[in-house]
Amino acid sequence: MVHYAPQVQLPLPICLERSAPLLTTGHVAEARIGTSGTFSDNMRLPIHRWYRYSAGFSADWVRSVIRECKPSALLDPFVGSGTSLLAAEEEGIDSYGFEAHPFVARIARAKLSWNASVKELVSWTAKLLQQATSMSPDISGETPLLLKCYSTEALRKLCAIRESFLILKEEMSTSVGELLWLAITSILRPCSHAGTAQWQYVLPAKGKARVLEPYDAFKTKIDTMTADMRHFQRSATPSGTLMARDARERLEFLDGKIDLVVTSPPYPNNYDYGDSTRLEMCFWHEIRGWGDLQTTVRRFLVRSCSQHAAAEKLKLDDVLAAPQLEPIRRDLSEICRSLEEERSHHGGKKSYHTMVAAYFADIASVFHALRGACSAGSRMCFVIGDSAPYGVYVPVDEFMGRLALAVGFSGFSFEKIRDRNVKWKNRKHRVPLKEGRLWIEG
Ligand SMILES: C[S@@+](CC[C@H](N)C(=O)[O-])C[C@H]1O[C@@H](n2cnc3c(N)ncnc32)[C@H](O)[C@@H]1O
């Protein structure tokens, strides 16, 4: 018998209306009940727009939740590209964010460097470009992915910018260095003729119509960044603390300080966060290709894709025996056994059975860590989605809610935002899926 705490109906958060081109603090006014939005909503917002991170949510929505809940400190344990921290800085409250993907954490860190000297950034940009335009780097040793994704001319220019940056970097301040690193990183897709899939996987074989010239793209990016930095320097407070760390780890240092958690963890839907930055990591020589992603990225993350579970060679019984899974073990085991059985009928033999078990073991550890960080009366909002690998339905909202109650949170309710059964790549099943907000009471 499964026991539920009485579901607490929390007030719906408000969501800010999208409006004119560049939204700034002064314009954020109209509100409506609505969705958590997508990252594309952020592409017109200062700082947020510096790097397109498809997995992200809407900054305006986060701001609306902050205004509604009036917390003294916000935590986002899966902060991605930094959306929640920047939103908190715009609202003038303290915030903490964790990100375990090293490359994505660096992107967030660079965005949070908006308080650096604009003058210094402009001056180093000029030096960098002057040096780059006099260089003609040998690109023959670049990774096969880069050679496929760029014309020789474009790649040579991008490598010249990179080499020039690496030479000058030691002389500039850390924050200006991080801003320049991000400017270079963020022009890599626009300067490639290769397409990008909806979820940021690079598609070398799929061409696209508009390709930017690297030096122009770099200058334009710096112009955008300096304008946005000036805007934030006038209107926001640099109060966010970003940590490149694992949300599953214990959080003694926050000991009851947090009264609002706004976050979106990976969904157990096989999206490979490691692969979303493959092009960029190849460019910076952090990996040679897909085969390096497990050791450089995935191993740090919540296990939400089958490649990760397969690489760890997990044994289902061992994962299911994890003590933190006790509150859902019986129902979860049934699902994982069905996935194990289903696997034998499919050619790819994907490790969904161990992935799903490991996913909830990881999420349970995150809740455990959060319990220590959150005050009594705190509130948490998890933007989540369910999944149905091989057509076997996984009730993510219910399992997460039960795991949260088991570590001492007092109630949960789920607020559906949209149906998403069309997005699952394996369309062989017709299981309806959904995305929404899991509200958890502290
Ligand atoms: C849905 S995305 C969050 C995006 C974020 N809301 C934004 O707007 O950019 C989930 C993030 O969790 C990160 N992540 C996965 N496992 C993690 C872990 N164990 N600890 C911290 N972050 C993790 C992923 O790298 C990814 O960036």
Side-chain angles (χ1 to χ4, degrees):
M1 167 102 179
V2 179
H3 294 279
Y4 292 91
Q7 295 220 347
V8 180
Q9 193 54 53
L10 300 166
L12 290 177
I14 49 175
C15 179
L16 298 162
E17 195 78 77
R18 287 190 239 165
S19 65
L22 176 63
L23 296 178
T24 61
T25 317
H27 293 107
V28 179
E30 283 179 53
R32 66 177 164 86
I33 303 291
T35 74
S36 317
T38 62
F39 195 84
S40 56
D41 299 342
N42 296 350
M43 290 310 287
R44 287 173 299 157
L45 298 174
I47 316 279
H48 298 281
R49 62 180 171 168
W50 290 359
Y51 183 85
R52 181 183 289 279
Y53 191 49
S54 309
F57 51 32
S58 154
D60 278 346
W61 172 73
V62 179
R63 292 184 69 181
S64 71
V65 177
I66 294 171
R67 287 179 179 190
E68 192 71 358
C69 299
K70 302 186 177 45
S72 50
L74 172 147
L75 167 64
D76 184 344
F78 298 98
V79 80
S81 59
T83 306
S84 314
L85 295 196
L86 289 164
E89 293 190 327
E90 288 178 283
E91 293 298 321
I93 61 157
D94 285 345
S95 57
Y96 300 85
F98 308 145
E99 175 54 51
H101 184 320
F103 197 88
V104 174
R106 190 167 179 190
I107 290 167
R109 188 174 305 290
K111 287 165 74 180
L112 289 157
S113 304
W114 54 263
N115 208 23
S117 157
V118 171
K119 206 169 144 201
E120 211 192 308
L121 178 60
V122 170
S123 144
W124 280 110
T125 300
K127 283 185 205 155
L128 187 155
L129 278 171
Q130 192 187 21
Q131 180 171 270
T133 46
S134 68
M135 294 166 96
S136 179
D138 174 15
I139 57 167
S140 59
E142 296 297 332
T143 60
L145 180 64
L146 289 179
L147 296 170
K148 265 191 244 165
C149 289
Y150 295 98
S151 66
T152 304
E153 192 193 350
L155 187 53
R156 198 163 275 139
K157 288 180 180 173
L158 287 167
C159 291
I161 295 175
R162 179 190 65 203
E163 296 315 307
S164 176
F165 167 72
L166 292 174
I167 293 165
L168 298 174
K169 183 170 99 112
E170 301 310 323
E171 296 169 50
M172 52 185 87
S173 68
T174 311
S175 48
V176 167
E178 290 307 280
L179 289 163
L180 285 169
W181 174 88
L182 180 60
I184 301 167
T185 302
S186 69
I187 63 167
L188 294 176
R189 303 279 174 138
C191 292
S192 168
H193 55 72
T196 289
Q198 189 192 6
W199 285 100
Q200 245 169 300
Y201 299 144
V202 66
L203 302 170
K206 190 169 174 246
K208 65 176 193 233
R210 189 160 176 258
V211 181
L212 304 185
E213 192 278 329
Y215 293 133
D216 289 346
F218 184 66
K219 280 185 253 177
T220 307
K221 180 56 97 177
I222 294 290
D223 287 347
T224 302
M225 288 172 71
T226 51
D228 291 358
M229 286 165 71
R230 287 192 182 98
H231 171 73
F232 256 56
Q233 287 173 11
R234 282 193 303 271
S235 59
T237 319
S239 51
T241 304
L242 175 89
M243 295 179 202
R245 60 171 275 151
D246 188 337
R248 294 168 292 185
E249 284 167 13
R250 293 185 75 91
L251 281 173
E252 283 88 358
F253 65 100
L254 284 176
D255 196 23
K257 248 195 212 160
I258 301 298
D259 45 6
L260 177 65
V261 171
V262 180
T263 196
S264 177
Y267 302 172
N269 64 355
N270 217 26
Y271 173 57
D272 183 359
Y273 280 93
D275 209 0
S276 68
T277 52
R278 179 155 44 129
L279 179 78
E280 290 78 6
M281 291 178 78
C282 280
F283 177 78
W284 287 107
H285 296 169
E286 292 185 16
I287 55 169
R288 284 293 298 170
W290 190 87
D292 294 336
L293 291 173
Q294 178 62 27
T295 49
T296 51
V297 181
R298 273 187 225 114
R299 74 187 169 103
F300 302 115
L301 308 182
V302 161
R303 291 162 292 182
S304 63
C305 69
S306 61
Q307 298 92 320
H308 190 165
E312 290 195 357
K313 298 191 177 18
L314 300 173
K315 298 248 181 319
L316 184 56
D317 286 340
D318 294 350
V319 186
L320 287 172
Q324 69 267 34
L325 285 177
E326 200 281 321
I328 58 167
R329 185 173 295 120
R330 200 190 58 187
D331 297 340
L332 178 65
S333 300
E334 231 171 78
I335 288 168
C336 295
R337 304 276 175 226
S338 304
L339 286 168
E340 192 172 31
E341 150 68 14
E342 202 53 47
R343 177 178 197 248
S344 59
H345 306 302
H346 295 261
K349 302 244 175 311
K350 302 238 189 230
S351 301
Y352 294 134
H353 58 309
T354 48
M355 173 199 103
V356 168
Y359 177 80
F360 286 105
D362 288 348
I363 293 293
S365 303
V366 172
F367 282 138
H368 188 70
L370 288 174
R371 183 60 284 182
C374 293
S375 60
S378 58
R379 179 170 291 176
M380 305 205 293
C381 182
F382 274 60
V383 177
I384 55 169
D386 48 18
S387 70
Y390 287 149
V392 177
Y393 182 65
V394 183
V396 175
D397 50 317
E398 185 203 314
F399 282 2
M400 278 200 186
R402 284 162 59 186
L403 290 171
L405 296 186
V407 298
F409 288 97
S410 61
F412 70 90
S413 62
F414 182 72
E415 179 197 346
K416 179 168 133 179
I417 300 167
R418 60 179 150 255
D419 295 310
R420 47 180 282 279
N421 44 339
V422 287
K423 287 187 183 166
W424 183 256
K425 269 192 160 184
N426 173 1
R427 299 260 188 84
K428 286 175 193 150
H429 67 77
R430 291 175 169 262
V431 181
L433 297 177
K434 60 188 186 304
E435 194 165 16
R437 295 185 278 245
L438 181 68
W439 289 90
I440 297 170
E441 283 257 310

